[in-house]
Amino acid sequence: MREFLLTLCVTAAVTYLLTGPARKFAIIAGAMPAVRDRDVHKEPTPRLGGIAMFGGLCAGLLTADHLDTLKHVFQGTGDVPALLSGATIMWVLGVLDDKWGVDALVKLGGQMVAAGVMVYQGLTVLWLPIPGVGTVALPEMWGTFITVALVVISVNAVNFIDGLDGLAAGMVCIAALAFFVYAYRLWYGFSVPDAAPAALFSVILVGMVLGFLPHNFHPARIFMGDSGALLIGLVLSVCMISITGRVDPDVLATQIASTSGSGHAINQTGAVHAMVPVYVVLLLPLTVIAIPLADLILAVVRRTWAGKSPFAADKQHLHHRLLQLGHSHSRAVLIMYFWAALLAFGTVAFSVNRTELLAVKVAMALCVVGILMLLFPRFRPHAPRVVERFVPPRYRRTAKVRDVLTDELVKEIAEQPISAASEPAIADGALLDKIGTGAHAMGRHSGTSGRSGSGAARVSRSTPRK
């Protein structure tokens, strides 16, 4: 475990330190597109955060290569070269899209090329555990098809969910943590060495997003862009492929049976419970990307039903709907975190023997909490009076105007110029001067002409606000 923690810390530190220079480079390179109608942020924000993430990925792999416990991952399989090759292709594609923009079909073709390169180097799904059937060895064509499909779906799911500050990075971090817990348990708990690559890739992915999140929380100073979203989506798909199709279910079943039986015969119910970790291999990849995958499917159906391209952007994603319900930016992100963690870690907890019933009860209770969070978008918990001075003013019961409107904020508001949209048009003002108010035109005015009324309005607008 110490080697994993060291790899995670090095990856996170390198990513964090590289994000600042990446932001400056994005500003110089002009990778700051104008704010679009579907965007939530108000000001142009630099992209190319994937540059820092790619540096963290390389640093994490280099660190793991020099650790005795993790060195065999680089020697036994070709997963690491395949990951680097696919990640490089995907990262370059994302950088080009952040700077100049890439057509959606070209981007899809690049994703398939990256997946094909990884399949060529040996990273593919070899078999699947099917309940009631057993282990099914996949033909080469089907293994390639499933591998490419997993890569394309996970990459686009992460890219679609990247709509709020810190949303995509946080949800990928939760998914990677769930993968790491499950893969680490298979490796050390059941002595399955084929789970080691998935555990290593998962912990490196956690370090990549943890190092980037401090710069990406609301209000974000930099966006990961497609260079980051495509990259972390590919690393997440590699974790899924490695733990789904590379771990032999027969070996895993033998280890689980020996561990559960402890030399004694077990009943049929115990044998079924002992085989749960084998079939969780199929469920875990679906649950960790359940919310992004649901958003992707809904977006494709919605746009196709409206006669638009499935790649046409809109403002109807799940996180946009949370904002429309009245949730704040931060609360919408936390709600998405909550549901992602509930699905991912609930599945991992269900795979642990003798905890299935407890996991179901806890999951049901947390579902009720999540539903309540959705039903009360404007509820704000108030901190106790003892700690009011240590929390933001909006969480204080006795918050006053002077606590919210500080001198600096008042000065900033006073110095802001009035936008042209808030002033009436010159032609409209001239027209009002000519015709006056409705009462003046009908001869029922009370001593105030339209000209004097419009002049009074101009005087009131020119008077500075106190």
Side-chain angles (χ1 to χ4, degrees):
M1 179 61 73
R2 291 178 298 178
E3 289 80 3
F4 285 114
L5 289 177
L6 177 60
T7 304
L8 187 149
C9 292
V10 171
T11 305
V14 172
T15 304
Y16 178 82
L17 295 175
L18 289 179
T19 304
R23 180 178 183 274
K24 295 180 180 178
F25 175 75
I27 296 175
I28 296 174
M32 293 178 59
V35 180
R36 300 161 295 187
D37 294 336
R38 62 185 178 92
D39 291 332
V40 178
H41 59 282
K42 304 300 182 183
E43 298 178 355
T45 305
R47 297 185 179 182
L48 294 179
I51 295 178
M53 291 183 173
F54 187 78
L57 172 65
C58 296
L61 292 175
L62 185 62
T63 302
D65 190 25
H66 290 79
L67 299 177
D68 295 334
T69 307
L70 302 176
K71 186 179 295 185
H72 71 279
V73 176
F74 298 81
Q75 300 173 351
T77 63
D79 290 355
V80 175
L83 171 63
L84 280 175
S85 301
T88 302
I89 296 174
M90 201 71 74
W91 176 71
V92 172
L93 179 65
V95 170
L96 295 176
D97 187 44
D98 288 341
K99 180 61 179 74
W100 291 286
V102 177
D103 185 72
L105 293 179
V106 176
K107 192 186 304 183
L108 179 62
Q111 296 168 6
M112 298 178 68
V113 168
V117 169
M118 293 192 299
V119 171
Y120 178 77
Q121 293 183 315
L123 184 64
T124 183
V125 178
L126 301 177
W127 43 65
L128 289 177
I130 307 299
V133 178
T135 303
V136 177
L138 296 176
E140 183 178 356
M141 182 183 67
W142 279 103
T144 302
F145 175 78
I146 294 176
T147 302
V148 174
L150 282 175
V151 172
V152 173
I153 291 174
S154 62
V155 165
N156 286 281
V158 173
N159 196 20
F160 270 52
I161 208 69
D162 185 22
L164 297 180
D165 297 348
L167 180 58
M171 294 191 68
V172 170
C173 181
I174 293 171
L177 280 173
F179 261 114
F180 172 73
V181 171
Y182 181 71
Y184 185 82
R185 180 170 177 262
L186 292 184
W187 186 8
Y188 281 97
F190 297 111
S191 300
V192 180
D194 291 334
L200 176 60
F201 300 154
S202 300
V203 78
I204 291 177
L205 182 57
V206 172
M208 291 166 60
V209 293
L210 283 182
F212 182 74
L213 270 174
H215 301 271
N216 192 233
F217 277 128
H218 182 70
R221 301 180 66 250
I222 183 175
F223 293 153
M224 68 172 66
D226 280 10
S227 60
L230 299 182
L231 176 62
I232 62 177
L234 180 128
V235 179
L236 183 62
S237 67
V238 170
C239 298
M240 291 189 294
I241 294 168
S242 181
I243 203 168
T244 302
R246 306 301 295 275
V247 176
D248 191 351
D250 293 335
V251 175
L252 180 59
T254 303
Q255 294 291 339
I256 292 174
S258 61
T259 304
S260 303
S262 301
H264 303 282
I266 56 177
N267 56 25
Q268 185 176 2
T269 303
V272 173
H273 288 177
M275 290 300 295
V276 170
V278 177
Y279 300 125
V280 169
V281 173
L282 289 177
L283 298 177
L284 189 59
L286 298 177
T287 55
V288 295
I289 62 169
I291 295 179
L293 182 60
D295 192 20
L296 173 63
I297 295 175
L298 290 175
V300 172
V301 173
R302 179 178 64 249
R303 296 166 185 175
T304 305
W305 188 267
K308 300 179 181 179
S309 170
F311 303 101
D314 58 18
K315 206 173 184 179
Q316 297 296 325
H317 291 288
L318 295 179
H319 48 274
H320 291 138
R321 295 180 183 272
L322 288 176
L323 295 178
Q324 294 170 5
L325 287 175
H327 293 286
S328 64
H329 189 291
S330 301
R331 180 171 296 192
V333 172
L334 292 177
I335 289 175
M336 299 286 282
Y337 286 178
F338 174 84
W339 285 105
L342 177 61
L343 292 173
F345 286 100
T347 305
V348 174
F350 191 76
S351 67
V352 181
N353 295 333
R354 296 180 299 277
T355 62
E356 290 88 350
L357 184 59
L358 178 62
V360 171
K361 293 180 179 179
V362 173
M364 292 178 64
L366 291 177
C367 284
V368 174
V369 175
I371 293 173
L372 291 177
M373 292 171 59
L374 292 173
L375 294 179
F376 297 98
R378 300 189 182 278
F379 171 73
R380 283 183 178 176
H382 295 286
R385 297 182 184 274
V386 181
V387 297
E388 278 188 349
R389 57 183 299 184
F390 303 105
V391 297
R394 62 180 179 273
Y395 296 117
R396 303 174 189 171
R397 291 181 183 273
T398 58
K400 297 183 175 67
V401 176
R402 65 172 179 268
D403 297 328
V404 181
L405 294 178
T406 60
D407 296 338
E408 292 79 4
L409 185 57
V410 172
K411 183 178 179 181
E412 181 181 353
I413 295 175
E415 292 178 352
Q416 287 182 352
I418 300 177
S419 61
S422 63
E423 292 288 337
I426 298 177
D428 295 341
L431 181 61
L432 287 174
D433 289 342
K434 291 181 179 180
I435 65 174
T437 62
H440 179 75
M442 297 296 295
R444 293 195 299 268
H445 61 86
S446 59
T448 302
S449 66
R451 182 176 296 277
S452 61
S454 61
R458 287 195 296 270
V459 171
S460 64
R461 287 196 299 269
S462 62
T463 305
R465 298 178 181 178
K466 300 295 184 183

